[in-house]
Amino acid sequence: MTDAVDTGPRRAGLATLFGRPNVGKSTLVNALVGEKVSIVTPKPQTTRHRIVGVVTRDDLQIGLVDTPGLHGGHGHVLNRVMNDAALGSLEGVDAVVLVVEAGRWDEGDDRALARVRATGLPAGLVVNKVDRIRRKEQLLPFIQECTARHDFAFVVPLSAERGDNLAPLVEELGKLMPAGEFLFPEDEYTDRNLRFLAAEAVREKLMMHLRQELPYAVTVEIESFEETPRGPRISAVIWVAREAHKRIVIGEGGAMLKRVGRGARLDLKHRLQAAVDLRLWVKVREDWYDDEAAVRSLGH
């Protein structure tokens, strides 16, 4: 009879991914989790909510807190709420990961680092998008400049988009997680429900297809989500801030709305492995993004 192998105590905790907009935090969460937790577009400030992606490896579980990018200025109520969500994500966690873009450090990174430093939490540094550095000899001096700004617990250069060098980040974060039981069921990959994921799928397609500033003036609300034997039946409202925006979102002959609906439907079908009946309406709520009550009531 052989003795059972002692794998040691479980470790579990929360780590916030923090940084300025468009450094790849959501792409990194998705890559680490192996599922689409957060929507991703080339436009900054795509992420509007605090979302947790769950990584479970043997006796280790890490809840990765994805956040809106911290940005300067005050702007509209929605911008302030997004900044509040980003800053709130630094509370009640075990570690912070400052995510920066390889070869670029600006005042937005200074602002984010100041917030990270103020927490007093163990903080790691991820240098993302290293695949975009053409002259690789420039990477080491950049990393040295970054590490001179703070005593980071670890530094991991990687490419979230390509999935390169992710394992060392999980290993380093695991060292910072406290001993304890898992915080989420082992088969769960996010703290968000299907209604939220459906709304975000629609908003992602709107962000991708609409031009200039219009994507930031729209939001999506799920009116109904019904499970049927054939798959989910979803009704969603796309809220816009102007009557003129409504015409653009619908498009000539409904072309834009059809394109958005088709893309979101295919995305959800792939994610849920089931047929999805998705129906979209467009409604106007004047300047909703600058109205505290409207912003809160629409789920932000």
Side-chain angles (χ1 to χ4, degrees):
M1 182 176 178
T2 59
D3 295 331
V5 177
D6 182 8
T7 58
R10 285 185 165 184
R11 306 181 72 84
L14 297 172
T16 292
L17 272 61
F18 199 73
R20 62 173 170 81
N22 224 32
V23 292
K25 298 183 295 297
S26 296
T27 301
L28 180 55
V29 169
N30 292 345
L32 290 168
V33 174
E35 297 282 354
K36 190 171 183 177
V37 176
S38 298
I39 63 174
V40 175
T41 78
K43 295 182 173 68
Q45 297 180 30
T46 295
T47 301
R48 288 182 179 174
H49 307 268
R50 178 188 184 277
I51 307 168
V52 178
V54 183
V55 175
T56 303
R57 304 278 192 275
D58 300 323
D59 290 322
L60 172 67
Q61 187 178 81
I62 307 169
L64 299 168
V65 185
D66 190 16
T67 61
L70 186 70
H71 53 277
H74 299 287
H76 300 294
V77 169
L78 178 61
N79 297 112
R80 178 170 55 76
V81 169
M82 289 166 59
N83 261 355
D84 289 346
L87 295 174
S89 71
L90 295 173
E91 301 174 3
V93 298
D94 302 288
V96 184
V97 178
L98 179 66
V99 184
V100 301
E101 182 179 344
R104 177 185 173 189
W105 184 289
D106 62 24
E107 61 181 12
D109 299 295
D110 283 327
R111 191 180 303 116
L113 176 57
R115 293 291 187 172
V116 170
R117 187 183 287 119
T119 67
L121 291 167
L125 176 70
V126 161
V127 180
N128 192 20
K129 306 184 183 182
V130 296
D131 54 303
R132 301 187 184 183
I133 299 293
R134 293 183 179 179
R135 296 175 59 186
K136 299 305 180 186
E137 66 271 16
Q138 296 178 336
L139 184 58
L140 182 57
F142 175 76
I143 292 176
Q144 290 174 335
E145 290 175 11
C146 294
T147 55
R149 300 172 188 269
H150 185 69
D151 184 19
F152 291 103
F154 62 80
V155 180
V156 177
L158 54 78
S159 170
E161 189 172 34
R162 293 189 177 184
D164 294 340
N165 209 38
L166 300 180
L169 176 56
V170 175
E171 181 179 351
E172 292 292 347
L173 277 175
K175 297 174 185 176
L176 301 180
M177 297 298 103
E181 292 303 308
F182 287 173
L183 306 176
F184 305 91
E186 292 187 45
D187 59 349
E188 193 169 290
Y189 67 88
T190 181
D191 66 332
R192 294 291 187 159
N193 59 27
L194 293 179
R195 293 176 68 100
F196 176 85
L197 297 177
E200 287 288 89
V202 175
R203 193 168 65 83
E204 179 182 60
K205 306 313 173 193
L206 289 164
M207 294 283 292
M208 292 174 64
H209 293 304
L210 296 175
R211 297 179 180 178
Q212 298 177 346
E213 296 303 312
L214 186 52
Y216 303 101
V218 301
T219 193
V220 180
E221 181 181 28
I222 302 299
E223 282 200 325
S224 66
F225 190 110
E226 179 186 359
E227 294 282 5
T228 75
R230 299 185 61 182
R233 181 182 295 128
I234 306 168
S235 295
V237 174
I238 299 170
W239 290 100
V240 297
R242 298 278 194 281
E243 191 65 40
H245 296 170
K246 180 177 180 179
R247 292 192 293 270
I248 295 172
V249 171
I250 293 174
E252 187 174 352
M256 178 61 74
L257 193 61
K258 289 176 183 176
R259 184 186 304 175
V260 169
R262 187 184 308 115
R265 196 175 297 111
L266 290 173
D267 188 355
L268 290 168
K269 179 181 178 181
H270 175 73
R271 187 182 303 191
L272 304 178
Q273 294 296 296
V276 176
D277 180 1
L278 175 64
R279 304 179 186 188
L280 302 177
W281 285 265
V282 185
K283 297 182 181 181
V284 180
R285 189 162 181 174
E286 288 287 335
D287 294 334
W288 68 266
Y289 51 78
D290 213 16
D291 180 326
E292 182 91 30
V295 168
R296 300 292 183 184
S297 69
L298 293 173
H300 296 286

